[in-house]
Amino acid sequence: MSRKISILGATGSIGQNTIDLIRRDPAGYDVVALTGAGNIAQLAEDAIALKADVAVTAREDLLDDLRDALAGSGVEAAAGAEAITEASTRPADWVMSAIVGAAGLAPGLAALQQGGTLALANKESLVCAGALMLGEAERHGATILPVDSEHSAVFQALVGEDIAAVERIIITASGGAFRDWPLEDLPNATLDQASNHPNWDMGQRITIDSASMFNKAMEVIETREFFGVSPESIEVLVHPQSMIHALVGFCDGGLMAHVGPPDMRHAIGYALHHPQRAHLPVERLDLARIGQLDFTAPDDARWPALRLAREVMAAGGLMGAVFNAAKEVALDGFIAGQLRFTQMAEIVEEVLDARAEEAAQGRGRDAMTLDLVAQADHLARKAAWAAIQKRAG
């Protein structure tokens, strides 16, 4: 019997890896909705190949292009943020949430309200509104499965374990493009240099976030929200080989590690087939050939984003939404050539300090609402752009 599935963010790297797995067993899936942004050709090609009910682009100005690309296929075309959220409400057993950024929050919430399974690759959802997401899942009897490689690894290590016995959770980071650069050279890092990851094949934005460690900072907050552990129990290790994705330490001193190749199809496939395991087309590691695995503690001077994440968790409330919004705008500024690489963290810290009152709002599942999160996001973006313009003089 086929399962009804939707993929939000189908044209990105997570979406494309999900489609790769689905295409290997097309009879097993009935595709309801695919969403994307500007890559209309890819969106239409996949929607036709998978016989989706609807394809949606976030870009309203590209609706005619999408309609033309889907002409005669029987696939419905739609555009805009509201259309993406509407597509998320269509009945599905399993929904991949892989839209990049805060834009993925509303569609993810809409999918949870259908009571199915949400495979969560959009880390911003838990960073911005963890209490809201988890509360919505509980209210509607929905399941959230982590798709970030680190959180999938923790989730797998906890199967059959009591979370009360967990003493520490260690998530690993490759260190990104600049892990071995002299600190004094970081301000001069170029966009092209920041956009090349040594291990993973990802989109530009997440690759730059990896280089700045903002991606890992987000994952630290996500770990706190998803697993409900104390911030003090979450650690980060720089692991250049990207083969151990996470370790869970228990009260008896034992560590449970998840080891696998740097291939997102493992975490996606685990969520897709959960609670069973299925054959996946990923590399089988030859540990003898690899020889050794390396670990070092991260340097806050090189990666101030990790310190900022600790401050966000300590503040609580809506500070996660402020943090993410400021980070997204600072990244836009770097991509546009308005900021140096190291100035992204400066902007985020400045906005966190300016919006400290958000810490008093949105605490707890009942207090946090989508409107409050959206307001905090809006004000933080406005503050971040003002800080960037001030630097531009």
Side-chain angles (χ1 to χ4, degrees), residues 34-50:
L34 298 181
T35 80
N39 192 345
I40 298 300
Q42 187 68 63
L43 179 60
E45 177 187 329
D46 290 332
I48 293 169
L50 297 175

Side-chain angles (χ1 to χ4, degrees), residues 150 170-176 179 197-200 213 216 236-247 257-262 285 287 290 292-298 303:
E150 296 80 4
I170 304 168
I171 59 175
T172 62
S174 69
R179 65 188 174 217
H197 197 284
N199 298 346
W200 297 88
M213 206 71 93
K216 200 58 51 178
V236 175
L237 276 178
V238 178
H239 169 48
Q241 293 87 0
S242 294
M243 291 180 186
I244 293 182
H245 305 299
L247 305 96
H258 179 277
V259 187
L285 294 181
L287 294 178
I290 294 166
Q292 69 179 45
L293 300 173
D294 302 303
F295 305 93
T296 56
W303 295 298

Side-chain angles (χ1 to χ4, degrees), residues 139-343:
R139 274 189 290 274
H140 296 281
T143 299
I144 303 177
L145 295 175
V147 175
D148 266 342
S149 60
E150 296 80 4
H151 303 94
S152 176
V154 174
F155 187 82
Q156 293 180 55
L158 286 173
V159 171
E161 301 288 350
D162 183 353
I163 191 69
V166 174
E167 206 170 60
R168 56 204 287 230
I169 291 178
I170 304 168
I171 59 175
T172 62
S174 69
F178 306 133
R179 65 188 174 217
D180 299 319
W181 277 40
L183 283 175
E184 60 270 20
D185 291 347
L186 289 180
N188 299 318
T190 68
L191 177 61
D192 285 344
Q193 289 168 330
S195 300
N196 286 291
H197 197 284
N199 298 346
W200 297 88
D201 181 16
M202 305 181 292
Q204 183 188 51
R205 296 181 72 84
I206 194 171
T207 300
I208 298 170
D209 278 351
S210 177
S212 66
M213 206 71 93
F214 268 110
N215 185 54
K216 200 58 51 178
M218 299 277 284
E219 289 172 359
V220 168
I221 301 171
E222 188 181 5
T223 301
R224 163 74 182 93
E225 295 294 333
F226 194 93
F227 298 103
V229 296
S230 70
E232 295 75 23
S233 67
I234 305 168
E235 305 170 29
V236 175
L237 276 178
V238 178
H239 169 48
Q241 293 87 0
S242 294
M243 291 180 186
I244 293 182
H245 305 299
L247 305 96
V248 176
F250 296 94
C251 57
D252 60 2
L255 284 170
M256 191 83 71
H258 179 277
V259 187
D263 187 329
M264 284 305 302
R265 290 177 299 177
H266 182 276
I268 295 167
Y270 186 83
L272 183 62
H273 299 288
H274 183 267
Q276 284 79 39
R277 287 187 182 269
H279 177 86
L280 295 175
V282 300
E283 176 190 359
R284 272 50 177 171
L285 294 181
D286 182 346
L287 294 178
R289 179 180 59 81
I290 294 166
Q292 69 179 45
L293 300 173
D294 302 303
F295 305 93
T296 56
D299 177 5
D300 279 355
R302 180 180 299 276
W303 295 298
L306 294 176
R307 171 179 57 81
L308 296 177
R310 303 281 179 193
E311 295 175 8
V312 167
M313 290 189 292
L318 296 169
M319 290 302 277
V322 173
F323 178 72
N324 177 71
K327 188 273 295 182
E328 289 189 17
V329 171
L331 177 56
D332 289 337
F334 175 65
I335 291 173
Q338 297 172 294
L339 291 176
R340 291 176 177 267
F341 179 78
T342 50
Q343 288 180 315

